[in-house]
Amino acid sequence: MSYEQARASKNYSSLLYETFNPLKACNVFILQDFSKLKDKAQKQAILNRLKDYFRIRKQLSLHYEIAKILEAQLREYTFYDYGEGYFYQSCRPIHITGFRNTEARIAGMQLEKYVTGKTVLDIGTNAGFLALEVAPLCRIIEGFDSNLYLIQVANCVKSFLKCDNAKFWAGTFEDFNHEPPYEVVLSFTNHSTYDHNTKQSIEDYFQKCHRYVSDGGYLLFESHLPNYESKEQLKCVLECLQKYFAIDTSYVLTRGTQGDKGRTFAVCRKR
Ligand SMILES: C[S@@+](CC[C@H](N)C(=O)[O-])C[C@H]1O[C@@H](n2cnc3c(N)ncnc32)[C@H](O)[C@@H]1O
C-alpha cells in the first residue's frame, strides 16, 4: 500500500481537526474526547500537537497583547514607525522575524565584548528587542524611544522574558536628563531619524552622547544604510563624532538582512 493510499484509507478522528485551532485545542472537551480515542498513532499525533501548543501557550496571549498595541499604533501614531505596522527588530525568543536580524547585528558588532557587566543606555531603543537580547550580559540596560507604543511592546516582552535588569520608558533624547552617566551608550541608526522626531543637530546629538558616556566609557555607533546616508554624509557625521570620541575600530557590517548589511559600525572611546 502506498503512503497516499494509506493516508486516504485512514479514518482520522474528528478530534484531530479540532486541534487545528490552537485556541480551541487546549479546552477540556478535547482532553475528555482524547482519553476515549483508541487509535495509538492518532493519539500520539494529537498529543504531540497539544504539547507544541502547550509550549507556546503563554506566547499566544503575549502575541495577542502586542498585536493590540500595534493596532492602536496604526490608528493613533501619526509618525513613521520603521516597521510598516509590524516590527523593525527581530525577537527570536518570541518568534518575531522583524525587518532587522537582532542576533546577526549583535554577532556582527561583537557586542558581547563591549556590554558584558556594563551599565548600558540604548538611545531610540525601538521595541527594545536588541536591548532585551543583550540584557543577560549587561549589568543594567536602559532604553527609551519617542514611540510610546513600541515602549509598551518593550515592557510587555520584558515582563514575559522576566528581564529584571532592563528598563524602558517613552521619551526623546532631546528631553533626556538622567544621571549618572553610562559605561556604554548605543547609538544605532539614531543620530538622525526620518520620522521628524529628532529636533537636535548632529553636533548637539554627539555632544549629548559625550555627556552620558562615563570617563573611559564607549559610544557604539551604527550608521544608516548607504542608500540613505551617502559616503560623503557619513564622513561628515563621523567627523562630528570624532570631536567627542576617538574611533578605536570601525568596519562595514556584512551579516543579517538587507536592512543590516552595508552599515558602518564604530567603537568610539570618550575623549
Ligand atoms: C531607525 S530606528 C532605530 C531603532 C534602534 N536604535 C535600532 O537600531 O534597532 C530609530 C528609532 O528612534 C526613535 N526616535 C526617533 N526620534 C527620536 C528621539 N528624538 N528620541 C528618541 N527616540 C527617537 C524612533 O521611534 C525609532 O524607534
Side-chain angles (χ1 to χ4, degrees):
M1 192 190 280
S2 70
Y3 171 67
E4 280 73 24
Q5 284 168 330
R7 276 197 64 195
S9 68
K10 196 88 186 156
N11 184 16
Y12 285 118
S13 150
S14 60
L15 198 53
L16 186 75
Y17 294 92
E18 291 291 308
T19 62
F20 285 147
N21 180 341
L23 291 174
K24 270 172 74 185
C26 302
N27 73 36
V28 69
F29 300 109
I30 295 263
L31 299 179
Q32 279 170 2
D33 290 351
F34 177 76
S35 60
K36 292 179 210 142
L37 199 65
K38 296 279 176 287
D39 186 305
K40 265 190 172 173
Q42 285 191 29
K43 237 178 154 166
Q44 193 61 54
I46 290 167
L47 192 65
N48 284 0
R49 196 202 301 280
L50 291 179
K51 261 200 236 160
D52 294 345
Y53 289 154
F54 191 73
R55 281 199 199 104
I56 61 159
R57 74 198 188 287
K58 284 190 185 151
Q59 296 207 356
L60 294 176
S61 52
L62 173 74
H63 277 266
Y64 178 64
E65 205 55 42
I66 60 184
K68 276 197 301 191
I69 299 171
L70 287 189
E71 203 190 351
Q73 176 186 252
L74 207 61
R75 267 186 280 111
E76 296 154 13
Y77 191 63
T78 51
F79 303 101
Y80 180 50
D81 72 347
Y82 298 88
E84 313 300 327
Y86 170 58
F87 284 111
Y88 179 73
Q89 303 169 327
S90 69
C91 188
R92 193 164 51 179
I94 58 160
H95 308 286
I96 287 176
T97 308
F99 283 109
R100 301 207 49 199
N101 184 330
T102 298
E103 284 79 24
R105 293 176 79 187
I106 292 171
M109 295 173 181
Q110 299 183 282
L111 283 192
E112 186 174 353
K113 216 158 96 184
Y114 306 107
V115 303
T116 300
K118 304 284 193 225
T119 55
V120 181
L121 176 70
D122 186 20
I123 302 172
T125 191
N126 198 255
F129 295 161
L130 188 143
L132 287 167
E133 189 66 33
V134 295
L137 300 170
C138 307
R139 188 150 73 84
I140 292 167
I141 185 157
E142 298 186 348
F144 62 90
D145 198 286
S146 53
N147 183 338
L148 166 72
Y149 299 88
L150 291 178
I151 290 297
Q152 287 175 4
V153 171
N155 279 320
C156 270
V157 179
K158 171 195 135 107
S159 306
F160 179 79
L161 297 176
K162 298 190 174 45
C163 197
D164 295 334
N165 65 338
K167 185 177 167 193
F168 299 106
W169 67 92
T172 66
F173 193 32
E174 287 80 347
D175 292 336
F176 181 78
N177 63 357
H178 279 211
E179 292 292 347
Y182 300 80
E183 290 165 292
V184 178
V185 170
L186 310 182
S187 169
F188 294 165
T189 72
N190 259 100
H191 50 289
S192 59
T193 58
Y194 309 112
D195 52 15
H196 307 296
N197 281 325
T198 296
K199 309 284 186 216
Q200 59 196 345
S201 66
I202 303 255
E203 172 93 36
D204 290 344
Y205 178 88
F206 287 123
Q207 196 175 39
K208 196 154 187 185
C209 288
H210 183 263
R211 216 167 100 203
Y212 287 104
V213 174
S214 59
D215 291 342
Y218 284 89
L219 174 76
L220 303 182
F221 169 88
E222 183 190 42
S223 76
H224 293 297
L225 283 172
N227 47 337
Y228 291 105
E229 190 167 55
S230 67
K231 262 190 180 159
E232 294 66 38
Q233 286 169 323
L234 181 59
K235 192 166 164 263
C236 292
V237 168
L238 293 178
E239 273 169 13
C240 186
L241 179 155
Q242 284 174 95
K243 291 185 195 169
Y244 304 96
F245 299 91
I247 298 181
D248 274 5
T249 323
S250 149
Y251 54 92
V252 172
L253 298 163
T254 55
R255 302 193 194 195
T257 67
Q258 290 313 312
D260 298 321
K261 294 177 194 166
R263 294 174 189 259
T264 296
F265 172 65
V267 178
C268 318
R269 199 167 13 90
K270 182 175 175 162
R271 284 195 196 278

